[in-house]
Amino acid sequence: MTPPEKSATAPRGARAPKTGETAEPAKAAGGSKAPGGSKAAGGTEAAGGGSKAAAGSKAAGGPKAAGGTKARGGSKAAGRGKAAEPAAKAAGTAGAGAKAARPESHLGMVRRARKINRELAEVYPYAHPELDFRNPFELLVATVLSAQTTDLRVNQTTPALFAKYPTPEDLAAAVPEEVEELIRPTGFFRAKTKSIMGLATALRDDFGGEVPGRLEDLVKLPGVGRKTAFVVLGNAFGVPGITVDTHFMRLARRWKWTESDDPVKIEAEVAAIFPKSDWTMLSHRVIFHGRRICHARKPACGACPITHLCPAYGEGETDPEKARKLLKYEKGGFPGQRLNPPPDYPGRPAPPLGAEA
């Protein structure tokens, strides 16, 4: 605002300024305050003596400057050896009247991340791998087939595949065209046939027909990367691992656990936040939440149980009624992805291929 003008003449009784000293203003005539509760023009103290500058008086109506920050003139003058405060605090102030948000410390982020994990454990106490399998070989093949499709479609496809080829030796000796026809519903069936027959051959020739329980061995198999390897290690061998799929990547970034979009970097950064013993179940909980509530295109923010911990709240639908309509699987009252879910799963089993849900 425009600074108030000073009186042309000093009021009677005012002390003459000493050499090097700015005259000290007197109070406005009658000592009354200006309309709106702000001090009158003469009532502000001059800069240079350590007092507040003219513009530092309260604006008409009494509120502080927009954003809750002090006006430029309201800071202490340089006569006290301190630099003037900026007119508004750094970007990050939520809006008029709100205080500037402090950047979250790394320790604060770690505490918030671990609290998210604890609360997700209460929301999804039944979290589990959503692929049907009876042994490490079936889990390995199913995980390879799950690329670019849903676990539901894989679960609907693998019963016929494993009925015909129950062991690595059986699958390695199969006719490729017959395998392609069986796994066609999963998409990219020619490339996937090459991968699962290749890994079956490697298991037969290099590992005695058994799935190895070491990361360095698993990633050498055709079609097997770190994500697939950690799924197998964590769920078939009890070896802790973080499964960084598209859901995990999305939520880790939304929750500010990482800023990277590289799966290996995300794995390393998240692993540094949580104890190793939490890694496998953390993966299940985050993926469950991503599939059921925190969707990619339209998160159901209004139905999310951890909004108080989410820095991305508001990216999706915040109306509770509308958000509830976005929920999937057991959260929305629909069948899950497994035809044979674990006993504690609260939802309905998925239907077989070709059956109505």
Side-chain angles (χ1 to χ4, degrees):
M1 71 180 185
T2 304
E5 297 179 356
K6 298 179 180 178
S7 174
T9 59
R12 183 179 299 174
R15 180 178 60 84
K18 296 179 181 180
T19 304
E21 179 180 293
T22 304
E24 182 177 330
K27 293 183 179 179
S32 61
K33 295 183 179 179
S38 61
K39 292 182 180 180
T44 56
E45 295 174 335
S51 55
K52 294 181 179 178
S57 61
K58 293 184 179 179
K64 293 183 179 179
T69 55
K70 294 181 180 179
R72 180 176 292 110
S75 59
K76 293 182 179 180
R80 287 217 176 183
K82 291 185 179 181
E85 294 177 0
K89 292 184 179 180
T93 302
K99 293 183 178 180
R102 291 184 179 180
E104 185 178 43
S105 67
H106 179 73
L107 178 59
M109 181 274 292
V110 170
R111 287 174 174 169
R112 180 172 56 82
R114 293 183 178 186
K115 190 170 184 180
I116 287 176
N117 183 39
R118 291 194 299 271
E119 297 202 10
L120 289 181
E122 296 179 2
V123 177
Y124 307 107
Y126 50 86
H128 59 273
E130 295 192 87
L131 289 168
D132 286 328
F133 67 98
R134 295 171 295 184
N135 54 58
F137 172 63
E138 290 187 357
L139 178 57
L140 177 60
V141 171
T143 306
V144 172
L145 294 179
S146 69
Q148 305 299 316
T149 191
T150 63
D151 287 358
L152 171 59
R153 185 47 57 93
V154 174
N155 292 335
Q156 292 173 326
T157 303
T158 51
L161 178 70
F162 295 141
K164 191 167 185 178
Y165 310 111
T167 68
E169 291 82 1
D170 295 325
L171 185 55
V175 176
E177 291 75 15
E178 294 179 0
V179 177
E180 288 176 3
E181 195 58 34
L182 286 170
I183 69 170
R184 182 184 291 268
T186 68
F188 303 96
F189 56 91
R190 291 190 178 90
K192 290 180 180 179
T193 294
K194 185 177 180 181
S195 291
I196 64 175
M197 290 189 67
L199 71 83
T201 301
L203 293 177
R204 180 194 64 190
D205 297 344
D206 302 332
F207 298 99
E210 299 291 334
V211 176
R214 300 195 310 163
L215 175 65
E216 53 268 37
D217 293 330
L218 285 168
V219 295
K220 293 176 183 177
L221 300 174
V224 178
R226 292 180 68 87
K227 183 194 80 171
T228 297
F230 281 128
V231 169
V232 174
L233 290 172
N235 298 288
F237 294 100
V239 177
I242 294 175
T243 303
V244 183
D245 70 350
T246 55
H247 301 289
F248 195 99
M249 290 177 66
R250 179 175 72 254
L251 270 61
R253 289 173 59 85
R254 278 181 179 167
W255 292 337
K256 307 300 182 185
W257 295 357
T258 179
E259 294 182 354
S260 178
D261 56 6
D262 177 76
V264 176
K265 290 182 179 179
I266 293 174
E267 177 196 320
E269 290 179 17
V270 175
I273 297 173
F274 297 93
K276 191 172 183 179
S277 58
D278 287 351
W279 291 354
T280 298
M281 288 308 301
L282 169 72
S283 301
H284 291 324
R285 293 165 190 153
V286 172
I287 293 170
F288 256 59
H289 194 65
R291 285 175 171 167
R292 286 150 177 78
I293 297 177
C294 197
H295 311 134
R297 295 184 180 178
K298 199 169 185 180
C301 294
C304 179
I306 58 166
T307 54
H308 57 294
L309 298 171
C310 181
Y313 173 74
E315 286 188 10
E317 180 59 65
T318 56
D319 181 83
E321 290 299 324
K322 293 179 180 178
R324 274 195 285 272
K325 295 178 181 178
L326 301 174
L327 301 179
K328 296 183 178 179
Y329 305 114
E330 77 280 356
K331 289 299 180 182
F334 302 109
Q337 298 206 82
R338 294 189 67 168
L339 278 66
N340 298 296
D344 61 344
Y345 179 63
R348 290 180 286 155
L353 192 63
E356 293 294 332

